[in-house]
Amino acid sequence: MKKTRWILGVVLTALAAFTSIAVTRPGVAKAGDQPSSAEVKIDNFSFGPTTLTVAAGRTVTWKNNDDVPHTVVSDNKVFKSKALDTDDKFSYTFTKPGTYNYFCSVHPKMVAKIVVQ
Amino acid sequence: MSDYIKDNLNKDGIDRRGFLKCMAWVGTGTLCVLKGGVLKSYALSDVMQHKVGDFKGDLSFVQISDSHIGFNKAANPDVTATLREAIAKVNALPTPPSFVLHTGDLTHLSKPSEFDTLAESLKSLKTERIFYVPGEHDVLDDNGAMFRERFGQGAMGDGWHSFDRNGIHFVGLVNVMNLKAGGLGSLGTEQLEWLQKDVSGLKSSTPIVLFAHIPLWAVYPQWGWGTDDSEQALSYLKRFGSVTVLNGHIHQTMQKVEGNVTFHTACSTAFPQPQPGQADSPGPMKVPDDKLRQVLGITDVNFVRGNHSLAIVDSTLA
């Protein structure tokens, strides 16, 4: 009984290892070029960087470092955060290539863009 | 140095010295008297000592603004306390205000608990009624639904409304909704059409008071301190002899006279913001604790029947 369980364990571990290599291999090379998620900081009523370029499939996270709430809203409403209080974050995963202009709907002078390649 | 306008070269009721002096008073208290379209500015200290009787009129009301209930950062960790001090200041006025205008940013994050605290605090105001317009902080996430339900009864559209008192026509406008990327405050077509109709039947001699959150003049567009379609709104008011525009948003007093229109912004009851361009951003400004009450305040407005004058008095919480 013990032996059967041991063999089953080995087989499952090997299967899992093989599967994970097979699945993750295409992504490994990309991960070397860029971190898996990118961050936009909100400081002093501005988004930084104002233009961020990422690969399709990437998740971008915004973090509000200001003492006042801001939002992250794309011009064509592809993504829209709730009001972000100090230290709050918002994330969106970009699947389609393109240029995504966005702004803060509370302080619309704050504009920036994400370029997805 | 005199405390009134000596050289009215441009017939706009304000001279350079007066303007600079006015600016120097920011946060210390200013009285501006509008008579026949001419603005006179006085130091509040002079008024309190000698001339307060001159400015009693048939109607007086108070403007408070930018309470930001819920804000708790370094610039003022207890905004409820300073709001209560502002209320005490109003309740101590020699002439109780007929009503109070709150020009927006009642709350910091539009939370129900913040609206609760504001409403509860304002119950102690000794006045008949409080009229509200929303600030951008009052319409987060729900497009102002909660604000309108609680503070906008009887209002139109996004919360705009008008009423008459003692022969003066008051109009509360909403310029914090549906803001466009890269733009400023916005009134929108529907509200502008309503405004045009609202004032169309009035005699040109009717004094008009407009109040809205974001300034209806270009204070500093780089920081969003202005309203994209305010010129359109003001074009409907050109025929009126006396127009007074009361705003908040910029957390400091500032005024300007342009033709028949006097623009005025009020202090916040919560925290100060920097003067235009004097900081990296218009965010809350931390001042030494013992200086905070000098940069917070209320605005008292008196109307004198007969000469159509509105006397605007800013006083700090210090």
Side-chain angles (χ1 to χ4, degrees), chain A residues 71-91:
Chain A
T71 63
V72 178
V73 180
S74 83
D75 291 8
N76 48 11
K77 302 289 188 288
V78 172
F79 52 91
K80 184 177 189 298
S81 78
K82 285 191 171 291
L84 306 176
D85 195 9
T86 308
D87 294 332
D88 282 355
K89 290 179 180 180
F90 168 70
S91 294

Side-chain angles (χ1 to χ4, degrees), chain B:
Chain B
M1 189 167 165
S2 62
D3 284 334
Y4 57 89
I5 304 304
K6 279 167 69 177
D7 307 308
N8 187 22
L9 298 176
N10 298 324
K11 305 289 182 204
D12 59 359
I14 194 157
D15 62 5
R16 186 171 176 276
R17 174 186 280 185
F19 176 74
L20 292 175
K21 196 157 162 50
C22 230
M23 295 302 290
W25 291 336
V26 167
T28 61
T30 309
L31 166 69
C32 286
V33 185
L34 180 69
K35 280 185 179 168
V38 175
L39 184 79
K40 289 187 178 181
S41 304
Y42 301 85
L44 188 57
S45 53
D46 288 352
V47 176
M48 298 311 262
Q49 284 168 16
H50 308 295
K51 300 168 183 163
V52 71
D54 296 348
F55 306 106
K56 282 189 178 170
D58 296 320
L59 176 73
S60 79
F61 63 93
V62 161
Q63 176 192 9
I64 59 173
S65 200
D66 295 85
S67 316
H68 282 264
I69 297 301
F71 180 85
N72 57 10
K73 303 297 189 300
N76 183 357
D78 194 350
V79 295
T80 306
T82 50
L83 172 63
R84 290 195 177 127
E85 288 176 40
I87 293 167
K89 196 101 185 173
V90 175
N91 289 344
L93 284 170
T95 308
S98 297
F99 55 88
V100 169
L101 305 178
H102 194 305
T103 45
D105 284 356
L106 286 61
T107 69
H108 193 59
L109 295 166
S110 311
K111 290 181 179 169
S113 60
E114 297 173 346
F115 284 121
D116 286 346
T117 303
L118 179 102
E120 198 55 41
S121 302
L122 291 183
K123 276 182 185 169
S124 60
L125 253 185
K126 288 179 188 162
T127 193
E128 282 174 29
R129 187 159 174 194
I130 308 170
F131 296 94
Y132 302 86
V133 285
E136 73 279 7
H137 288 258
D138 302 317
V139 300
L140 301 172
D141 298 335
D142 72 346
N143 281 326
M146 191 184 300
F147 170 87
R148 286 192 298 280
E149 185 188 315
R150 301 189 57 168
F151 302 94
Q153 296 94 338
M156 320 277 290
D158 291 332
W160 54 81
H161 54 102
S162 68
F163 58 94
D164 295 280
R165 284 288 191 286
N166 290 52
I168 305 179
H169 190 67
F170 291 83
V171 185
L173 298 176
V174 179
N175 56 0
V176 297
M177 306 283 290
N178 305 312
L179 305 184
K180 305 285 181 296
L184 303 171
S186 172
L187 294 162
T189 312
E190 193 187 344
Q191 184 170 208
L192 285 167
E193 285 172 0
W194 171 83
L195 175 65
Q196 188 173 22
K197 277 185 201 150
D198 183 69
V199 300
S200 64
L202 300 171
K203 286 183 183 167
S204 299
S205 59
T206 309
I208 307 282
V209 176
L210 288 188
F211 59 104
H213 180 64
I214 298 176
L216 292 168
W217 48 298
V219 174
Y220 196 63
Q222 295 93 319
W223 280 359
W225 290 359
T227 301
D228 277 327
D229 45 8
S230 60
E231 298 246 339
Q232 185 69 30
L234 293 168
S235 74
Y236 305 143
L237 304 171
K238 281 207 162 71
R239 67 186 174 89
F240 293 96
S242 163
V243 179
T244 304
V245 179
L246 303 174
N247 299 123
H249 188 59
I250 66 170
H251 296 219
Q252 59 197 288
T253 58
M254 213 172 270
Q255 53 230 334
K256 183 180 93 147
V257 178
E258 206 173 274
N260 60 335
V261 187
T262 301
F263 298 88
H264 185 277
T265 62
C267 277
S268 161
T269 67
F271 54 83
Q273 285 178 181
Q275 290 177 33
Q278 298 300 304
D280 291 338
S281 74
M285 184 169 70
K286 170 70 181 156
V287 297
D289 290 345
D290 61 338
K291 298 275 189 284
L292 178 62
R293 278 152 184 81
Q294 294 173 18
V295 287
L296 305 180
I298 60 168
T299 299
D300 185 20
V301 186
N302 285 278
F303 171 64
V304 183
R305 187 183 295 281
N307 54 8
H308 290 170
S309 68
L310 286 166
I312 301 173
V313 187
D314 295 304
S315 49
T316 69
L317 300 186

Side-chain angles (χ1 to χ4, degrees), chain A residues 24-101:
Chain A
T24 55
R25 179 157 294 175
V28 168
K30 276 188 185 170
D33 300 335
Q34 269 186 320
S36 58
S37 75
E39 188 173 85
V40 176
K41 288 179 179 149
I42 306 175
D43 279 304
N44 273 326
F45 287 65
S46 56
F47 296 104
T50 49
T51 301
L52 178 69
T53 305
V54 297
R58 261 321 126 66
T59 298
V60 176
T61 299
W62 286 262
K63 180 168 179 261
N64 180 16
N65 296 323
D66 271 349
D67 278 357
V68 294
H70 295 295
T71 63
V72 178
V73 180
S74 83
D75 291 8
N76 48 11
K77 302 289 188 288
V78 172
F79 52 91
K80 184 177 189 298
S81 78
K82 285 191 171 291
L84 306 176
D85 195 9
T86 308
D87 294 332
D88 282 355
K89 290 179 180 180
F90 168 70
S91 294
Y92 183 79
T93 303
F94 292 87
T95 51
K96 289 182 189 169
T99 297
Y100 298 79
N101 292 304

